[in-house]
Amino acid sequence: MIENPVPPVSLGAVERAATRIAGRVVRTPLVPSPSLSERAGQSVHLKLETRQPIGAFKLRGAMNAILSLDDAARRRGLVTASTGNHGRAVAYAARELGVAATICMSSLVPANKVEAIRSLGADIRIVGVSQDDAQDEVERLVQTLRLTPIPPFDDVDVVAGQGTIGLELVEDLPDIATVLVPLSGGGLAGGIAVAVKALKPQARIIGVSMERGAAMHAAIAAGKPVATREEETLADSLGGGIGLSNRVTFTLCRDLLDGIVLLTEDEIAAGIRHAAREEEEVVEGAGAVGIAAILADKVQLLGPTAVIVSGGNIDPEIHQDLIGRSTR
């Protein structure tokens, strides 16, 4: 039994975030997928976070966290570690709000994501070969330069911002029964689960990740945050650990997720191809995992389903190579 059932992020916090970020982020469409609906035997809809200005959901959490800061904290400048999309979100929000941002990334972050962040005017630091290495640099800069950290996921304001997706899902699909959500550090999955479970307690929230280095899955299996080796994967935005001192997202995912599905690299590639060929959407590996889980028959859908398409920032050459391959 969970000793403290009160979640670290509340529905009220998500609702306040929705008010705070209104007009600064896009209220993204929820569109039906006839092909996936036919395959699953249930109504399947795609929540297209690819429509955000940065091409990914991360803008919600970053914008909410930065707007929640006082003026002094913003003036000191912002710093974060990122596998790409969060860094892009912080850089975009910082530019919109007129503050400086430093983004720390490992050498595993794809070049197209690094260049997209640089184009937004942020200072780039490439450090080490893992998200943990990048986070070490963030902590050093916080100590030496007094920069203000914007965590990529383990932060109540970031989680509340991501949870605004859940509010939109319930508004647009009132009879929602299942949500398939990409799972990495747990900010997206945890935030959506807070909102959806509060409004639709019977709805199921299924986290979807890759077999290579699924940190939250390993932590939940162990009953506590554990170190996980980061590996190269098509779902690069899902890479990195959850932090051994995780304060927010581990608890949310442990208590609110109804299951976790892990995918092979071939299955993720199939999801990317399906998005391009059948949905006419350019989707990165992390954004395609919900689609991939349906295609691989790794999840049973019970009633109307929303699939979170979390981002579309895939290297164009990799994307072209993937969609050009014939399926076996």
Side-chain angles (χ1 to χ4, degrees):
M1 179 179 296
I2 304 301
E3 294 181 1
N4 181 15
V6 179
V9 179
S10 67
L11 175 63
V14 177
E15 292 171 334
R16 290 189 292 275
T19 299
R20 191 176 291 120
I21 67 178
R24 295 186 181 273
V25 305
V26 173
R27 191 191 193 287
T28 55
L30 184 69
V31 301
S33 170
S35 61
L36 292 174
S37 298
E38 181 179 2
R39 182 179 185 92
Q42 300 286 353
S43 172
V44 176
H45 294 72
L46 305 179
K47 180 63 167 168
L48 297 179
E49 287 297 298
T50 51
R51 298 294 191 267
Q52 294 295 346
I54 64 159
F57 77 96
K58 286 283 192 176
L59 186 58
R60 295 173 183 264
M63 186 67 77
N64 188 53
I66 296 168
L67 289 173
S68 299
L69 297 171
D70 59 35
D71 289 340
R74 287 189 218 169
R75 284 196 300 269
R76 289 198 299 270
L78 312 174
V79 65
T80 194
S82 175
T83 55
N85 285 334
H86 176 68
R88 193 168 181 174
V90 171
Y92 179 93
R95 187 183 69 175
E96 292 295 297
L97 299 172
V99 296
T102 298
I103 314 299
C104 302
M105 294 173 283
S106 82
S107 59
L108 290 181
V109 176
N112 68 301
K113 293 188 175 182
V114 175
E115 291 309 311
I117 293 169
R118 182 173 284 114
S119 72
L120 291 169
D123 180 29
I124 304 292
R125 305 279 181 108
I126 304 297
V127 183
V129 294
S130 72
Q131 179 82 339
D132 289 340
D133 292 337
Q135 183 60 40
D136 288 343
E137 178 68 2
V138 169
E139 293 169 6
R140 187 186 72 80
L141 293 174
V142 169
Q143 292 296 319
T144 59
L145 301 182
R146 298 187 65 245
L147 300 183
T148 300
I150 306 295
F153 54 86
D154 193 38
D155 176 86
V156 292
D157 292 318
V158 170
V159 171
Q162 320 304 25
T164 60
I165 295 173
L167 299 180
E168 295 172 16
L169 291 179
V170 173
E171 287 183 10
D172 292 346
L173 193 63
D175 55 348
I176 192 168
T178 305
V179 182
L180 301 184
V181 55
L183 178 62
S184 178
L188 178 63
I192 288 175
V194 166
V196 172
K197 289 284 190 180
L199 297 169
K200 298 289 181 178
Q202 300 308 311
R204 299 162 64 240
I205 314 295
I206 308 296
V208 189
S209 197
M210 65 288 176
E211 290 184 351
R212 294 183 177 178
M216 185 62 76
H217 176 262
I220 291 175
K224 62 180 181 180
V226 293
T228 306
R229 184 167 67 92
E230 192 168 344
E231 301 181 53
E232 288 194 41
T233 171
L234 281 172
D236 54 88
S237 292
L238 301 185
I242 70 167
L244 296 180
S245 58
N246 187 289
R247 302 176 299 107
V248 180
T249 60
F250 171 73
T251 299
L252 290 176
C253 291
R254 178 196 63 191
D255 296 352
L256 298 179
L257 294 187
D258 295 287
I260 298 174
V261 173
L262 300 183
L263 301 171
T264 68
E265 295 299 295
D266 285 345
E267 288 166 346
I268 296 169
I272 296 171
R273 282 193 295 271
H274 177 94
R277 295 173 178 173
E278 301 295 333
E279 314 295 343
E280 298 184 345
E281 295 288 337
V282 175
V283 179
E284 63 186 271
V289 293
I291 294 172
I294 294 174
L295 297 176
D297 296 321
K298 285 192 170 180
V299 61
Q300 182 180 11
L301 304 185
L302 304 175
T305 296
V307 177
I308 310 302
V309 182
S310 56
N313 298 320
I314 187 171
D315 182 279
E317 292 185 5
I318 293 175
H319 186 257
Q320 188 60 42
D321 179 59
L322 287 170
I323 64 174
R325 296 179 192 174
S326 299
T327 55
R328 290 194 293 268

